[in-house]
Amino acid sequence: MGLLGIVLSLGLLMYLAYRGITVLILAPLLALLALVLNGEFTLLGTYTQIFMAALGDYIVKYFPLFLLGAIFGKLMADSGSARAIAETIVGKLGPQNAIAAIVLSCGLLTYGGVSLFVVAFAVYPIAAEMFRRGDLPKRLIPAAIALGSFTFTMTAFPGTPAIQNAIPMPYFGTTPFAAPIVGIAAGLIMLIGGVVWLNFRARRASGRGEGYGDHEESAIGASAAIEGDTPSFTVALAPAVAVIILNALFTYVVIPAMDTGYLGSDKFGGVAIGDVRGIWAIIAALVFSILLIVALNFRRLSDLKTSINTGTFGSLLPAFNTASEVGYGAIIASLPAFFLVRDAVLGLTDNPLINVAVATNVLAGITGSASGGMSIALEALGDRFAEIAASAGISEQLMHRITTLSSGGFDALPHNGAVVTLLGICGLTHRQSYADIFVVAVMIPVFATIVAIILGTVGIV
């Protein structure tokens, strides 16, 4: 009955989230439903002492990344920088390479710290125009944007400031640049494999005489197409490049040179610098890059206060949605029936890389969230995974990268919020476009993760 309660709770979470009910309400209610079906009735105590405690811990650790990332993305959009980068790349590659141009534009922006939602709004109007000129099917645009925005730059390439790359750091004592060789290899598989697939689909469509088609622009997509003064490509690109360079500089030079012995005192939680170095580096990189955007685009940012406020408010819902899913996972992990699930995952194979990949992928698929699924998996099993990896002689860096890669596989199932939003921006439906999204954002990333596990198992990090 306890296992049935967990399965029913997870199933309802997936279904009702897909139907548009906020996770802020669903997560505690369905976690408490699982609690009751497990024969426990400590509802108020579980809600305040387990759910809210886990939610609060997550916000304490990661809210600065949500906040600064949202402000950075908003300023990149409002200054015209995001659009300038996309237009330049597309202009250089031309309509005949529209798919690769859109993928690279999205990849450069997201790797530089711009939110995937901001990227989708900024790039879609350009993509629509380029696909129309090249007479490519519009139904392929969402997959091209998805490939560039939430695959290789979200989970694979080392140094990415994406929250998915930050979450494993406290559990494994790693940095954003963990396992760079494996990460680059997996990222290239996603990038090249996805572009090859989409170009294959475009050629097949052309052979059938299918072109762009006759489409009415959605209200969302149309609003994103507003023109404005844009900076030069160099000025636009500078803050995005600064995020990556400063991230590395703070990780390997500045923070190691600082006197951080005080962190060991009770006042600061008795932590080691390795526990916080990665998060500190991303925070510092984003702060300086935000200041750089403002300095380079001060005249273009006609209402700086509104841009910052809008970015700030825009960070709240994603942060608390993910934190609520972490609270949900904490309650599920406290149930007696969950120990059966835990033991099954931990005993799945003798290879902890496979075990963490399966656990993270399954939970990311159920929740429809890469960060949410990974957070639940690590909250429940992170310490055990770290112990098992250490005893098996597997590096913490590799565990970090495989966990991050695994969060970006099954997360992009149809109920994923980013998928739903992207289709809305493009004015298309799941029936029209989801099959190609599934290939580039689910199938190929899962294959890349398998290759990464093989590389890691034979000793390549």
Side-chain angles (χ1 to χ4, degrees):
M1 188 64 182
L3 281 174
L4 178 62
I6 292 175
V7 172
L8 177 62
S9 173
L10 289 171
L12 286 172
L13 177 66
M14 181 168 59
Y15 173 75
L16 295 175
Y18 176 67
R19 301 297 296 177
I21 301 176
T22 175
V23 173
L24 294 175
I25 298 297
L26 288 178
L29 289 180
L30 293 176
L32 294 176
L33 171 64
L35 181 77
V36 171
L37 293 176
N38 272 262
E40 298 186 28
F41 300 93
T42 55
L43 300 180
L44 290 174
T46 299
Y47 177 69
T48 60
Q49 305 308 118
I50 298 179
F51 182 89
M52 289 305 300
L55 181 151
D57 286 345
Y58 183 86
I59 292 294
V60 167
K61 285 181 183 177
Y62 301 115
F63 181 68
L65 304 189
F66 282 95
L67 174 65
L68 294 171
I71 293 173
F72 180 83
K74 182 61 177 170
L75 292 174
M76 285 289 285
D78 288 356
S79 67
S81 298
R83 186 176 184 86
I85 291 170
E87 286 181 338
T88 301
I89 293 174
V90 169
K92 292 291 185 183
L93 295 182
Q96 70 275 15
N97 296 305
I99 289 173
I102 295 304
V103 171
L104 291 175
S105 298
C106 293
L108 183 57
L109 288 167
T110 49
Y111 194 47
V114 183
S115 159
L116 65 92
F117 295 104
V118 172
V119 169
F121 277 105
V123 172
Y124 167 70
I126 305 166
E129 179 61 25
M130 295 306 295
F131 274 56
R132 188 181 290 109
R133 288 186 200 172
D135 202 26
L136 301 172
K138 181 184 177 181
R139 60 182 173 82
L140 297 179
I141 292 178
I145 294 176
L147 174 59
S149 299
F150 45 92
T151 60
F152 57 95
T153 57
M154 184 179 82
T155 65
F157 283 177
T160 174
I163 188 67
Q164 291 80 5
N165 195 37
I167 291 172
M169 293 190 298
Y171 295 94
F172 301 119
T174 47
T175 75
F177 296 87
I181 297 175
V182 167
I184 291 171
L188 290 176
I189 290 172
M190 296 181 207
L191 171 59
I192 297 171
V195 171
V196 168
W197 170 260
L198 291 177
N199 279 319
F200 165 73
R201 294 281 285 170
R203 289 194 300 271
R204 287 279 300 272
S206 177
R208 296 192 301 267
E210 178 186 357
Y212 183 81
D214 185 16
H215 300 275
E216 291 185 11
E217 292 298 340
S218 67
I220 301 176
S223 67
I226 298 173
E227 297 281 352
D229 177 35
T230 58
S232 68
F233 178 72
T234 302
V235 170
L237 187 62
V241 173
V243 172
I244 304 302
I245 295 176
L246 289 173
N247 193 354
L249 188 64
F250 278 101
T251 298
Y252 296 112
V253 180
V254 177
I255 294 176
M258 295 168 56
D259 179 10
T260 56
Y262 65 88
L263 291 173
S265 68
D266 292 340
K267 179 180 178 180
F268 295 96
V271 299
I273 185 58
D275 297 325
V276 296
R277 179 177 59 168
I279 292 175
W280 282 12
I282 296 176
I283 290 173
L286 285 171
V287 167
F288 280 98
S289 298
I290 286 170
L291 295 176
L292 182 60
I293 296 175
V294 175
L296 293 175
N297 299 280
F298 191 77
R299 287 182 299 174
R300 297 183 188 88
L301 295 167
S302 57
D303 193 346
L304 180 60
K305 180 182 70 175
T306 298
S307 294
I308 292 175
N309 286 346
T310 302
T312 299
F313 297 144
S315 72
L316 298 179
L317 187 58
F320 277 88
N321 274 343
T322 305
S324 293
E325 290 171 343
V326 173
Y328 172 90
I331 292 180
I332 297 298
S334 72
L335 301 176
F338 182 78
F339 293 110
L340 298 175
V341 178
R342 181 200 64 185
D343 293 342
V345 170
L346 292 175
L348 189 63
T349 71
D350 293 330
N351 189 335
L353 296 176
I354 297 176
N355 296 347
V356 74
V358 171
T360 304
N361 255 306
V362 169
L363 288 168
I366 289 170
T367 60
S369 167
S371 55
M374 175 166 44
S375 297
I376 292 172
L378 290 177
E379 187 69 26
L381 302 168
D383 293 339
R384 289 288 294 127
F385 281 135
E387 292 173 9
I388 295 171
S391 63
I394 294 175
S395 75
E396 295 86 352
Q397 289 196 43
L398 191 55
M399 289 294 290
H400 171 129
R401 187 56 54 204
I402 296 301
T403 303
T404 303
L405 286 170
S406 302
S407 73
F410 290 171
D411 69 307
L413 293 177
H415 60 294
N416 174 274
V419 170
V420 174
T421 301
L422 177 58
L423 290 172
I425 292 170
C426 296
L428 296 164
T429 65
H430 281 80
R431 182 186 295 274
Q432 292 170 304
S433 296
Y434 182 73
D436 292 297
I437 294 176
F438 180 80
V439 172
V440 302
V442 178
M443 287 183 62
I444 295 176
V446 168
F447 173 73
T449 303
I450 294 171
V451 173
I453 291 172
I454 295 171
L455 292 175
T457 301
V458 300
I460 297 175
V461 177

